[in-house]
Amino acid sequence: MIQRPHKAATFFGCIGKDKFGEILKKKAEEAHVDAHYYEQSEEPTGTCAACITSDNRSLVANLAAANCYKKEKHLDLEKNWKLVEKAKVYYIAVSSASQIAKVCLAVF
């Protein structure tokens, strides 16, 4: 959880218009994350199951809405792009080689 200053981290992602999307918005706000979601109705918010034993973990993800993110409809909006330009550190997570290629083409 981010203490002070609040909203020191910005997050962009895609969620569905559903219960899990509402939970994600609430938890991001409680953690003081400046979250900006692209909300869509095609797919539900993604979920992930975690199996943790001792120092080991295994994750099974249902990406769902994450696969529906539309850069041109969200990240490219002037108000969102200004946050990207203001950032000093970037962390980008993708789940497949094809998504890595899309991110690289979009950024470079």
Side-chain angles (χ1 to χ4, degrees):
M1 183 183 287
I2 297 171
Q3 299 301 315
R4 297 207 187 276
H6 289 174
K7 308 276 182 168
T10 300
F11 174 83
F12 293 98
C14 187
I15 60 174
K17 296 179 180 178
D18 55 29
K19 177 179 85 171
F20 289 120
E22 291 303 316
I23 291 170
L24 191 56
K25 288 193 283 190
K26 180 181 177 200
K27 294 300 179 181
E29 186 174 326
E30 288 173 5
H32 307 293
V33 173
D34 185 23
H36 299 264
Y37 298 107
Y38 173 60
E39 296 185 50
Q40 50 73 53
S41 303
E42 288 177 51
E43 292 285 339
T45 301
T47 53
C48 183
C51 178
I52 303 168
T53 58
S54 185
D55 293 335
N56 302 306
R57 71 173 187 167
S58 181
L59 305 173
V60 178
N62 171 18
L63 298 175
N67 287 326
C68 298
Y69 189 80
K70 304 278 190 248
K71 174 185 171 289
E72 62 281 355
K73 291 184 177 182
H74 192 250
L75 191 63
D76 289 346
L77 297 178
E78 185 176 352
K79 66 180 182 173
N80 291 337
W81 192 250
K82 283 183 179 183
L83 294 169
V84 173
E85 293 177 325
K86 183 176 135 183
K88 295 178 183 170
V89 176
Y90 301 91
Y91 175 79
I92 301 169
V94 295
S95 61
S96 71
S98 65
Q99 286 180 327
I100 292 170
K102 286 179 187 177
V103 168
C104 289
L105 289 172
V107 173
F108 299 108

XYZ file of all heavy atoms in Angstrom:
843
model
N 0.839 -1.178 0.000
C 0.000 0.000 0.000
C 0.884 1.241 0.000
O 1.842 1.332 0.748
C -0.917 -0.013 1.217
C -1.867 1.155 1.216
S -2.925 1.269 2.664
C -4.041 -0.038 2.366
N 0.547 2.168 -0.853
C 1.295 3.416 -0.943
C 0.891 4.300 0.237
O -0.293 4.494 0.505
C 1.001 4.128 -2.279
C 1.483 3.247 -3.432
C 1.645 5.504 -2.317
C 1.052 3.739 -4.789
N 1.870 4.816 0.957
C 1.574 5.665 2.109
C 1.463 7.120 1.676
O 0.401 7.606 1.425
C 2.655 5.475 3.181
C 2.735 4.040 3.696
C 1.422 3.569 4.311
O 0.809 4.280 5.080
N 0.993 2.380 3.954
N 2.563 7.809 1.572
C 2.568 9.211 1.153
C 3.701 9.414 0.169
O 4.756 8.838 0.356
C 2.758 10.140 2.349
C 1.628 10.033 3.327
C 1.469 11.340 4.105
N 0.506 11.200 5.160
C -0.808 11.331 5.007
N -1.299 11.586 3.836
N -1.604 11.199 6.018
N 3.575 10.185 -0.884
C 2.338 10.876 -1.230
C 1.328 9.902 -1.808
O 1.702 8.924 -2.460
C 2.788 11.885 -2.282
C 3.956 11.238 -2.936
C 4.635 10.444 -1.835
N 0.072 10.154 -1.553
C -0.975 9.310 -2.125
C -0.981 9.486 -3.641
O -0.589 10.517 -4.154
C -2.336 9.689 -1.564
C -2.483 9.281 -0.126
N -3.573 9.615 0.610
C -1.697 8.573 0.709
C -3.461 9.134 1.828
N -2.318 8.501 1.913
N -1.406 8.456 -4.319
C -1.508 8.463 -5.787
C -0.148 8.662 -6.455
O -0.037 9.304 -7.483
C -2.501 9.522 -6.278
C -3.865 9.448 -5.631
C -4.768 8.456 -6.294
C -6.130 8.470 -5.618
N -7.136 7.783 -6.309
N 0.910 8.098 -5.855
C 2.252 8.210 -6.424
C 2.441 7.237 -7.586
O 3.363 7.386 -8.371
C 3.307 7.943 -5.352
N 1.573 6.241 -7.694
C 1.649 5.260 -8.778
C 0.388 5.361 -9.628
O -0.716 5.522 -9.106
C 1.782 3.851 -8.220
N 0.564 5.260 -10.938
C -0.557 5.306 -11.867
C -0.660 3.963 -12.566
O 0.349 3.370 -12.932
C -0.357 6.428 -12.907
O -0.256 7.668 -12.207
C -1.511 6.503 -13.884
N -1.874 3.483 -12.754
C -2.121 2.185 -13.381
C -3.135 2.353 -14.504
O -4.141 3.039 -14.337
C -2.663 1.193 -12.339
C -3.084 -0.114 -12.919
C -2.152 -1.104 -13.154
C -4.411 -0.353 -13.237
C -2.538 -2.325 -13.703
C -4.812 -1.565 -13.786
C -3.862 -2.548 -14.015
N -2.867 1.721 -15.642
C -3.809 1.665 -16.748
C -4.141 0.205 -17.017
O -3.252 -0.642 -17.011
C -3.216 2.264 -18.030
C -2.980 3.741 -17.959
C -1.737 4.245 -17.672
C -4.028 4.631 -18.177
C -1.511 5.604 -17.602
C -3.814 5.996 -18.112
C -2.556 6.488 -17.823
N -5.398 -0.093 -17.258
C -5.797 -1.457 -17.573
C -7.235 -1.491 -18.039
O -7.917 -0.468 -18.109
N -7.687 -2.685 -18.343
C -9.034 -2.884 -18.864
C -9.817 -3.797 -17.924
O -9.303 -4.825 -17.482
C -8.951 -3.509 -20.258
S -10.544 -3.631 -21.088
N -11.044 -3.400 -17.634
C -11.920 -4.209 -16.791
C -13.287 -4.329 -17.446
O -13.645 -3.560 -18.336
C -12.078 -3.611 -15.373
C -12.670 -2.204 -15.423
C -10.751 -3.618 -14.631
C -12.988 -1.609 -14.055
N -14.040 -5.319 -16.977
C -15.421 -5.456 -17.413
C -16.324 -4.647 -16.509
O -15.918 -4.196 -15.435
N -17.545 -4.477 -16.924
C -18.534 -3.764 -16.109
C -19.240 -4.799 -15.244
O -20.375 -5.196 -15.526
C -19.503 -2.999 -17.001
C -18.812 -1.898 -17.794
C -19.761 -1.145 -18.693
C -18.994 -0.060 -19.438
N -19.837 0.683 -20.357
N -18.525 -5.239 -14.192
C -19.021 -6.328 -13.370
C -18.518 -6.211 -11.929
O -17.836 -5.250 -11.573
C -18.591 -7.671 -13.972
C -17.089 -7.774 -14.187
O -16.312 -7.141 -13.441
O -16.672 -8.506 -15.101
N -18.874 -7.204 -11.122
C -18.519 -7.210 -9.701
C -17.005 -7.160 -9.491
O -16.518 -6.415 -8.647
C -19.102 -8.464 -9.038
C -18.738 -8.627 -7.574
C -19.357 -9.874 -6.975
C -18.454 -11.045 -7.251
N -18.816 -12.269 -6.555
N -16.251 -7.938 -10.257
C -14.793 -7.963 -10.074
C -14.153 -6.635 -10.491
O -13.167 -6.204 -9.904
C -14.157 -9.136 -10.820
C -14.469 -10.463 -10.187
C -15.137 -11.438 -10.898
C -14.104 -10.727 -8.877
C -15.434 -12.666 -10.321
C -14.393 -11.952 -8.289
C -15.066 -12.926 -9.014
N -14.720 -5.980 -11.490
C -14.236 -4.661 -11.871
C -14.449 -3.654 -10.745
O -13.575 -2.833 -10.444
N -15.614 -3.734 -10.106
C -15.906 -2.840 -8.981
C -14.958 -3.119 -7.808
O -14.485 -2.189 -7.152
C -17.367 -2.976 -8.545
C -18.355 -2.447 -9.558
C -18.122 -0.982 -9.908
O -17.889 -0.166 -8.988
O -18.158 -0.656 -11.108
N -14.673 -4.384 -7.547
C -13.738 -4.745 -6.473
C -12.355 -4.185 -6.780
O -11.698 -3.609 -5.909
C -13.689 -6.274 -6.279
C -14.998 -6.779 -5.694
C -12.502 -6.675 -5.395
C -15.143 -8.298 -5.687
N -11.910 -4.334 -8.018
C -10.590 -3.837 -8.404
C -10.496 -2.324 -8.237
O -9.506 -1.808 -7.706
C -10.277 -4.245 -9.849
C -8.851 -4.038 -10.323
C -7.848 -4.749 -9.427
C -8.708 -4.511 -11.754
N -11.547 -1.610 -8.644
C -11.550 -0.152 -8.484
C -11.480 0.227 -7.006
O -10.702 1.114 -6.627
C -12.803 0.463 -9.125
C -12.773 0.447 -10.642
C -13.846 1.309 -11.250
C -15.196 0.669 -11.208
N -16.206 1.404 -12.002
N -12.250 -0.459 -6.181
C -12.266 -0.159 -4.744
C -10.907 -0.435 -4.107
O -10.386 0.377 -3.336
C -13.347 -0.991 -4.056
C -13.444 -0.762 -2.575
C -14.515 -1.632 -1.943
C -14.514 -1.412 -0.439
N -15.144 -2.494 0.269
N -10.302 -1.575 -4.437
C -9.015 -1.948 -3.832
C -7.892 -1.024 -4.300
O -6.998 -0.683 -3.526
C -8.675 -3.412 -4.126
C -9.617 -4.398 -3.465
C -9.582 -4.237 -1.954
C -10.513 -5.183 -1.254
N -10.494 -5.015 0.205
N -7.930 -0.594 -5.539
C -6.917 0.349 -6.031
C -7.034 1.676 -5.287
O -6.027 2.273 -4.898
C -7.065 0.558 -7.535
N -8.258 2.111 -5.071
C -8.468 3.364 -4.342
C -7.981 3.234 -2.893
O -7.304 4.121 -2.379
C -9.944 3.746 -4.368
C -10.206 5.107 -3.752
C -11.655 5.552 -3.904
O -12.275 5.220 -4.926
O -12.139 6.227 -2.985
N -8.291 2.111 -2.247
C -7.841 1.889 -0.875
C -6.316 1.863 -0.774
O -5.748 2.261 0.235
C -8.401 0.567 -0.338
C -9.881 0.608 -0.039
C -10.448 -0.759 0.338
O -9.673 -1.744 0.456
O -11.682 -0.852 0.510
N -5.657 1.390 -1.832
C -4.185 1.319 -1.845
C -3.555 2.615 -2.350
O -2.337 2.693 -2.496
C -3.733 0.143 -2.717
N -4.376 3.617 -2.630
C -3.913 4.929 -3.091
C -3.221 4.868 -4.450
O -2.276 5.604 -4.711
C -3.002 5.595 -2.053
C -3.607 5.666 -0.696
N -4.713 6.446 -0.413
C -3.286 5.039 0.458
C -5.038 6.301 0.860
N -4.198 5.447 1.415
N -3.684 3.972 -5.306
C -3.174 3.876 -6.671
C -4.070 4.717 -7.574
O -5.300 4.636 -7.505
C -3.150 2.409 -7.156
C -2.787 2.321 -8.632
C -2.181 1.584 -6.317
N -3.467 5.530 -8.415
C -4.190 6.366 -9.364
C -4.550 5.504 -10.575
O -3.838 5.489 -11.578
C -3.304 7.557 -9.760
C -4.020 8.546 -10.652
O -5.267 8.595 -10.629
O -3.323 9.277 -11.375
N -5.640 4.766 -10.467
C -6.021 3.800 -11.496
C -6.946 4.429 -12.534
O -7.883 5.150 -12.195
C -6.700 2.599 -10.851
N -6.650 4.143 -13.793
C -7.449 4.619 -14.925
C -7.823 3.405 -15.752
O -6.973 2.813 -16.411
C -6.650 5.620 -15.767
C -6.248 6.828 -14.989
N -6.967 7.999 -15.013
C -5.227 7.031 -14.132
C -6.391 8.878 -14.218
N -5.331 8.312 -13.668
N -9.084 3.024 -15.690
C -9.539 1.807 -16.354
C -10.286 2.103 -17.645
O -11.095 3.023 -17.709
C -10.476 1.018 -15.438
C -9.811 0.551 -14.170
C -10.108 1.148 -12.955
C -8.883 -0.471 -14.187
C -9.505 0.727 -11.784
C -8.273 -0.905 -13.028
C -8.587 -0.300 -11.828
O -7.982 -0.716 -10.681
N -10.015 1.265 -18.641
C -10.838 1.238 -19.849
C -11.913 0.204 -19.545
O -11.625 -0.980 -19.405
C -9.986 0.846 -21.059
C -10.796 0.637 -22.325
C -11.552 1.672 -22.867
C -10.794 -0.585 -22.970
C -12.298 1.488 -24.016
C -11.539 -0.775 -24.132
C -12.288 0.253 -24.649
O -13.025 0.073 -25.786
N -13.151 0.653 -19.389
C -14.246 -0.250 -19.058
C -15.010 -0.624 -20.322
O -15.368 0.241 -21.110
C -15.189 0.400 -18.047
C -14.521 0.664 -16.708
C -15.469 1.203 -15.669
O -16.551 0.616 -15.476
O -15.124 2.231 -15.047
N -15.224 -1.925 -20.487
C -15.914 -2.415 -21.677
C -16.876 -3.532 -21.286
O -16.830 -4.038 -20.169
C -14.886 -2.884 -22.720
C -13.818 -3.825 -22.210
C -14.338 -5.216 -21.930
O -14.954 -5.827 -22.800
N -14.098 -5.729 -20.738
N -17.761 -3.908 -22.224
C -18.792 -4.916 -21.944
C -18.569 -6.236 -22.660
O -19.339 -7.178 -22.463
C -20.163 -4.359 -22.349
O -20.416 -3.162 -21.676
N -17.542 -6.322 -23.517
C -17.305 -7.552 -24.290
C -16.948 -8.743 -23.411
O -17.411 -9.854 -23.634
C -16.151 -7.351 -25.273
C -16.442 -6.471 -26.446
C -15.187 -6.302 -27.296
O -14.557 -7.313 -27.655
O -14.843 -5.143 -27.581
N -16.053 -8.510 -22.439
C -15.527 -9.583 -21.594
C -15.595 -9.164 -20.130
O -15.516 -7.975 -19.817
C -14.062 -9.873 -21.947
C -13.848 -10.494 -23.309
C -14.234 -11.961 -23.359
O -14.301 -12.607 -22.298
O -14.475 -12.456 -24.479
N -15.690 -10.142 -19.222
C -15.665 -9.801 -17.803
C -14.250 -9.428 -17.357
O -13.273 -9.678 -18.071
C -16.115 -11.097 -17.123
C -15.679 -12.173 -18.072
C -15.839 -11.575 -19.448
N -14.152 -8.843 -16.193
C -12.850 -8.525 -15.609
C -12.067 -9.821 -15.426
O -12.627 -10.837 -15.017
C -13.041 -7.826 -14.242
O -13.809 -6.642 -14.461
C -11.717 -7.464 -13.608
N -10.786 -9.791 -15.732
C -9.945 -10.973 -15.590
C -9.816 -11.398 -14.135
O -10.004 -10.611 -13.211
N -9.525 -12.679 -13.959
C -9.343 -13.239 -12.626
C -8.092 -14.105 -12.616
O -7.586 -14.489 -13.669
C -10.558 -14.080 -12.201
O -10.817 -15.055 -13.221
C -11.798 -13.221 -12.007
N -7.598 -14.409 -11.426
C -6.390 -15.226 -11.311
C -6.483 -16.092 -10.061
O -6.825 -15.596 -8.984
C -5.158 -14.316 -11.237
S -3.603 -15.226 -11.175
N -6.164 -17.365 -10.201
C -6.084 -18.276 -9.055
C -4.614 -18.458 -8.716
O -3.773 -18.599 -9.609
C -6.710 -19.627 -9.406
N -4.292 -18.427 -7.427
C -2.910 -18.585 -6.976
C -2.819 -19.745 -6.002
O -3.625 -19.866 -5.087
C -2.430 -17.309 -6.296
N -1.822 -20.589 -6.229
C -1.517 -21.687 -5.309
C -0.136 -21.387 -4.730
O 0.857 -21.347 -5.460
C -1.518 -23.022 -6.055
S -1.094 -24.408 -4.977
N -0.092 -21.134 -3.424
C 1.163 -20.750 -2.780
C 1.508 -21.781 -1.709
O 0.702 -22.056 -0.814
C 1.049 -19.344 -2.142
C 0.644 -18.330 -3.212
C 2.348 -18.954 -1.457
C 0.233 -16.987 -2.671
N 2.690 -22.357 -1.846
C 3.196 -23.299 -0.852
C 4.631 -22.923 -0.534
O 5.474 -22.859 -1.423
C 3.154 -24.752 -1.364
O 3.925 -24.856 -2.551
C 1.729 -25.199 -1.649
N 4.883 -22.634 0.727
C 6.226 -22.258 1.170
C 6.745 -21.105 0.312
O 6.128 -20.055 0.262
C 7.153 -23.473 1.129
O 8.415 -23.163 1.650
N 7.841 -21.310 -0.406
C 8.421 -20.263 -1.255
C 7.989 -20.379 -2.713
O 8.511 -19.670 -3.573
C 9.953 -20.322 -1.192
C 10.489 -19.957 0.177
O 9.786 -19.234 0.910
O 11.607 -20.377 0.513
N 7.065 -21.243 -3.010
C 6.649 -21.492 -4.395
C 5.257 -20.946 -4.640
O 4.418 -20.912 -3.754
C 6.663 -22.997 -4.679
C 8.018 -23.604 -4.438
O 9.005 -23.141 -4.984
N 8.078 -24.622 -3.599
N 5.040 -20.555 -5.895
C 3.701 -20.119 -6.271
C 3.416 -20.540 -7.706
O 4.312 -20.661 -8.536
C 3.520 -18.623 -6.123
C 4.272 -17.842 -7.159
C 3.962 -16.383 -7.108
N 4.622 -15.770 -8.254
C 4.392 -14.571 -8.691
N 3.531 -13.820 -8.080
N 5.023 -14.104 -9.737
N 2.156 -20.750 -7.966
C 1.704 -21.074 -9.309
C 0.445 -20.257 -9.565
O -0.427 -20.161 -8.708
C 1.398 -22.566 -9.418
O 0.987 -22.879 -10.718
N 0.370 -19.645 -10.741
C -0.760 -18.790 -11.080
C -1.475 -19.320 -12.325
O -0.832 -19.768 -13.271
C -0.288 -17.363 -11.363
C 0.528 -16.678 -10.272
C 1.056 -15.337 -10.775
C -0.308 -16.480 -9.032
N -2.781 -19.235 -12.302
C -3.588 -19.551 -13.474
C -4.476 -18.340 -13.719
O -5.314 -18.002 -12.884
C -4.448 -20.815 -13.261
C -5.305 -21.081 -14.482
C -3.572 -22.019 -12.941
N -4.262 -17.672 -14.844
C -4.978 -16.427 -15.124
C -6.013 -16.599 -16.230
O -5.777 -17.282 -17.223
C -3.981 -15.345 -15.529
N -7.146 -15.966 -16.026
C -8.163 -15.803 -17.063
C -8.087 -14.321 -17.436
O -8.600 -13.466 -16.705
C -9.544 -16.161 -16.524
C -10.641 -15.798 -17.499
O -10.389 -15.594 -18.684
N -11.862 -15.693 -17.012
N -7.431 -14.002 -18.522
C -7.171 -12.604 -18.882
C -8.440 -11.835 -19.234
O -8.544 -10.644 -18.958
C -6.166 -12.529 -20.021
C -4.793 -13.111 -19.699
C -3.912 -13.088 -20.932
C -4.149 -12.380 -18.543
N -9.370 -12.488 -19.863
C -10.675 -11.908 -20.205
C -10.559 -10.453 -20.686
O -10.040 -10.204 -21.758
C -11.639 -12.047 -19.029
N -11.007 -9.491 -19.878
C -11.039 -8.079 -20.287
C -9.665 -7.523 -20.636
O -9.559 -6.617 -21.461
C -11.682 -7.227 -19.190
N -8.611 -8.062 -20.037
C -7.263 -7.552 -20.338
C -6.966 -7.647 -21.833
O -6.246 -6.813 -22.379
C -6.214 -8.329 -19.544
N -7.543 -8.632 -22.492
C -7.335 -8.787 -23.932
C -8.143 -7.786 -24.761
O -7.992 -7.721 -25.973
C -7.704 -10.205 -24.370
C -6.689 -11.213 -23.914
O -5.507 -10.938 -23.846
N -7.155 -12.409 -23.568
N -8.992 -7.009 -24.116
C -9.853 -6.056 -24.823
C -9.348 -4.623 -24.745
O -10.026 -3.706 -25.225
C -11.274 -6.112 -24.248
S -12.061 -7.719 -24.441
N -8.194 -4.406 -24.136
C -7.685 -3.038 -23.972
C -7.479 -2.394 -25.337
O -6.900 -2.988 -26.241
C -6.377 -3.028 -23.193
C -5.941 -1.631 -22.811
C -6.501 -0.995 -21.722
C -5.004 -0.939 -23.556
C -6.135 0.296 -21.368
C -4.622 0.353 -23.212
C -5.196 0.962 -22.114
O -4.828 2.235 -21.781
N -7.970 -1.183 -25.490
C -7.852 -0.439 -26.746
C -7.039 0.820 -26.493
O -7.554 1.815 -25.979
C -9.232 -0.061 -27.280
C -10.177 -1.224 -27.475
C -9.928 -1.932 -28.760
C -11.015 -2.932 -29.045
N -10.606 -4.297 -28.978
N -5.766 0.771 -26.862
C -4.854 1.901 -26.659
C -5.421 3.185 -27.254
O -5.416 4.234 -26.611
C -3.497 1.565 -27.269
C -2.497 2.701 -27.251
C -1.227 2.292 -28.000
C -0.303 3.438 -28.198
N -0.753 4.431 -29.160
N -5.922 3.092 -28.470
C -6.406 4.284 -29.160
C -7.652 4.876 -28.494
O -7.922 6.059 -28.628
C -6.675 3.992 -30.636
C -7.747 2.963 -30.903
C -7.319 1.507 -30.747
O -6.131 1.232 -30.504
O -8.196 0.633 -30.867
N -8.398 4.068 -27.736
C -9.593 4.565 -27.069
C -9.333 4.951 -25.611
O -10.225 5.470 -24.956
C -10.706 3.515 -27.106
C -11.268 3.288 -28.492
C -12.421 2.322 -28.437
C -13.038 2.146 -29.811
N -14.191 1.237 -29.767
N -8.122 4.675 -25.117
C -7.865 4.948 -23.702
C -6.517 5.618 -23.456
O -6.453 6.766 -23.034
C -7.979 3.652 -22.897
C -8.016 3.868 -21.427
N -6.980 3.524 -20.610
C -8.960 4.416 -20.632
C -7.288 3.857 -19.361
N -8.489 4.396 -19.347
N -5.438 4.901 -23.711
C -4.106 5.443 -23.423
C -3.798 6.676 -24.261
O -3.147 7.606 -23.800
C -3.035 4.375 -23.647
C -1.640 4.718 -23.140
C -1.638 4.899 -21.628
C -0.654 3.645 -23.539
N -4.282 6.700 -25.503
C -4.020 7.823 -26.396
C -4.832 9.076 -26.075
O -4.572 10.133 -26.656
C -4.277 7.420 -27.851
C -3.229 6.455 -28.387
O -2.175 6.301 -27.746
O -3.471 5.854 -29.452
N -5.786 8.981 -25.163
C -6.529 10.180 -24.766
C -5.560 11.155 -24.114
O -4.693 10.764 -23.339
C -7.645 9.825 -23.781
C -8.743 8.896 -24.288
C -9.731 8.602 -23.168
C -9.460 9.508 -25.484
N -5.691 12.422 -24.444
C -4.729 13.428 -23.981
C -4.533 13.397 -22.461
O -3.403 13.436 -21.970
C -5.167 14.819 -24.420
C -4.154 15.897 -24.079
C -4.555 17.271 -24.594
O -5.531 17.386 -25.346
O -3.866 18.239 -24.216
N -5.628 13.301 -21.699
C -5.514 13.310 -20.236
C -4.724 12.102 -19.727
O -3.990 12.206 -18.744
C -6.891 13.365 -19.578
C -7.737 12.132 -19.796
C -9.090 12.238 -19.128
C -9.844 10.931 -19.350
N -11.079 10.888 -18.611
N -4.855 10.949 -20.383
C -4.110 9.760 -19.965
C -2.660 9.820 -20.432
O -1.744 9.443 -19.696
C -4.790 8.489 -20.481
C -6.107 8.239 -19.784
O -6.335 8.714 -18.672
N -6.984 7.502 -20.435
N -2.451 10.282 -21.664
C -1.083 10.324 -22.192
C -0.206 11.297 -21.390
O 0.980 11.070 -21.216
C -1.072 10.659 -23.678
C 0.283 10.413 -24.254
C 1.184 11.341 -24.690
C 0.934 9.148 -24.395
N 2.337 10.719 -25.101
C 2.208 9.372 -24.938
C 0.550 7.835 -24.126
C 3.110 8.347 -25.212
C 1.444 6.809 -24.396
C 2.700 7.078 -24.926
N -0.798 12.358 -20.860
C -0.043 13.294 -20.019
C 0.513 12.588 -18.788
O 1.616 12.888 -18.339
C -0.921 14.478 -19.599
C -1.124 15.486 -20.694
C -1.931 16.677 -20.221
C -2.086 17.665 -21.365
N -2.787 18.876 -20.965
N -0.222 11.629 -18.251
C 0.260 10.853 -17.097
C 1.435 9.965 -17.491
O 2.375 9.777 -16.715
C -0.876 10.011 -16.515
C -2.016 10.806 -15.882
C -3.200 9.904 -15.596
C -1.541 11.506 -14.622
N 1.391 9.425 -18.710
C 2.499 8.614 -19.211
C 3.747 9.482 -19.346
O 4.840 9.095 -18.924
C 2.141 7.960 -20.567
C 3.343 7.251 -21.169
C 0.973 6.999 -20.402
N 3.592 10.655 -19.912
C 4.729 11.556 -20.103
C 5.324 12.023 -18.774
O 6.527 12.250 -18.670
C 4.305 12.771 -20.932
C 3.960 12.413 -22.368
C 3.459 13.601 -23.172
O 2.760 14.475 -22.612
O 3.766 13.640 -24.369
N 4.493 12.137 -17.761
C 4.930 12.594 -16.445
C 5.687 11.511 -15.659
O 6.478 11.820 -14.778
C 3.683 13.032 -15.661
C 3.917 13.609 -14.313
C 2.584 14.077 -13.727
C 2.467 13.632 -12.296
N 1.192 13.982 -11.690
N 5.469 10.267 -16.007
C 6.059 9.148 -15.257
C 7.584 9.120 -15.365
O 8.159 9.506 -16.384
C 5.481 7.837 -15.763
N 8.216 8.642 -14.307
C 9.674 8.499 -14.281
C 10.089 7.044 -14.432
O 11.204 6.743 -14.841
C 10.225 9.065 -12.972
C 10.007 10.556 -12.841
C 10.515 11.084 -11.527
C 10.204 12.573 -11.417
N 10.461 13.089 -10.094
N 9.199 6.125 -14.078
C 9.473 4.688 -14.163
C 8.253 4.026 -14.804
O 7.118 4.398 -14.516
C 9.716 4.085 -12.758
C 9.914 2.589 -12.839
C 10.907 4.750 -12.087
N 8.513 3.050 -15.670
C 7.439 2.318 -16.330
C 7.566 0.828 -16.025
O 8.665 0.284 -16.025
C 7.498 2.494 -17.855
C 7.406 3.930 -18.295
C 8.551 4.692 -18.468
C 6.170 4.520 -18.528
C 8.468 6.025 -18.868
C 6.082 5.842 -18.928
C 7.234 6.586 -19.090
O 7.149 7.892 -19.480
N 6.439 0.182 -15.801
C 6.393 -1.272 -15.663
C 5.274 -1.739 -16.571
O 4.124 -1.313 -16.428
C 6.112 -1.687 -14.216
C 5.929 -3.178 -14.069
C 7.035 -4.021 -14.032
C 4.663 -3.741 -14.005
C 6.873 -5.387 -13.911
C 4.490 -5.105 -13.893
C 5.592 -5.922 -13.847
O 5.439 -7.278 -13.741
N 5.613 -2.598 -17.513
C 4.631 -3.105 -18.464
C 4.606 -4.619 -18.345
O 5.649 -5.273 -18.457
C 4.985 -2.690 -19.906
C 5.040 -1.166 -20.013
C 3.990 -3.277 -20.897
C 5.621 -0.657 -21.304
N 3.430 -5.171 -18.111
C 3.287 -6.621 -18.004
C 2.374 -7.110 -19.120
O 1.293 -6.561 -19.332
C 2.706 -6.999 -16.649
N 2.830 -8.118 -19.827
C 2.030 -8.748 -20.875
C 2.135 -10.256 -20.717
O 3.047 -10.758 -20.073
C 2.478 -8.321 -22.294
C 2.242 -6.839 -22.502
C 3.923 -8.648 -22.534
N 1.204 -10.977 -21.324
C 1.161 -12.418 -21.087
C 1.563 -13.281 -22.279
O 1.635 -14.489 -22.154
C -0.245 -12.813 -20.645
O -1.161 -12.494 -21.673
N 1.828 -12.673 -23.426
C 2.204 -13.493 -24.576
C 3.147 -12.728 -25.497
O 3.238 -11.504 -25.440
C 0.959 -13.914 -25.356
O 0.413 -12.796 -26.024
N 3.816 -13.459 -26.370
C 4.746 -12.847 -27.317
C 4.028 -11.873 -28.249
O 4.564 -10.814 -28.582
C 5.461 -13.923 -28.117
N 2.812 -12.200 -28.658
C 2.083 -11.300 -29.556
C 1.748 -9.985 -28.855
O 1.766 -8.923 -29.466
C 0.814 -11.962 -30.087
O -0.094 -12.214 -29.051
N 1.456 -10.049 -27.552
C 1.177 -8.822 -26.814
C 2.460 -7.997 -26.640
O 2.417 -6.782 -26.694
C 0.571 -9.129 -25.451
C -0.882 -9.592 -25.554
C -1.468 -9.898 -24.201
O -0.782 -10.349 -23.297
N -2.751 -9.651 -24.069
N 3.581 -8.660 -26.439
C 4.876 -7.947 -26.333
C 5.126 -7.163 -27.615
O 5.505 -6.002 -27.583
C 6.029 -8.920 -26.037
C 5.877 -9.495 -24.630
C 7.370 -8.232 -26.184
C 6.816 -10.651 -24.330
N 4.880 -7.799 -28.759
C 5.084 -7.134 -30.044
C 4.165 -5.916 -30.168
O 4.602 -4.841 -30.610
C 4.810 -8.121 -31.178
N 2.898 -6.047 -29.748
C 1.964 -4.926 -29.819
C 2.434 -3.759 -28.941
O 2.362 -2.600 -29.347
C 0.569 -5.361 -29.370
C -0.149 -6.215 -30.370
C -1.518 -6.615 -29.824
C -2.207 -7.613 -30.708
N -3.499 -8.051 -30.150
N 2.917 -4.074 -27.734
C 3.391 -3.029 -26.825
C 4.596 -2.328 -27.434
O 4.687 -1.101 -27.447
C 3.735 -3.597 -25.431
C 4.489 -2.576 -24.590
C 2.464 -4.042 -24.725
N 5.544 -3.089 -27.953
C 6.740 -2.503 -28.553
C 6.394 -1.604 -29.726
O 6.932 -0.506 -29.862
C 7.709 -3.592 -28.992
S 8.493 -4.440 -27.615
N 5.475 -2.037 -30.577
C 5.076 -1.229 -31.724
C 4.361 0.042 -31.264
O 4.529 1.099 -31.871
C 4.171 -2.031 -32.653
C 4.866 -3.149 -33.442
C 3.837 -3.995 -34.175
C 5.868 -2.576 -34.417
N 3.582 -0.057 -30.212
C 2.850 1.108 -29.717
C 3.757 2.126 -29.053
O 3.525 3.323 -29.148
C 1.766 0.656 -28.730
N 4.790 1.658 -28.384
C 5.663 2.545 -27.612
C 6.770 3.133 -28.460
O 7.133 4.298 -28.315
C 6.246 1.793 -26.392
C 7.275 2.643 -25.670
C 5.137 1.394 -25.448
N 7.328 2.343 -29.352
C 8.511 2.811 -30.105
C 8.167 3.295 -31.446
O 7.704 3.214 -32.300
C 9.563 1.709 -30.177
C 10.045 1.299 -28.822
C 9.704 0.083 -28.266
C 10.826 2.157 -28.063
C 10.144 -0.291 -27.023
C 11.263 1.794 -26.806
C 10.925 0.568 -26.282
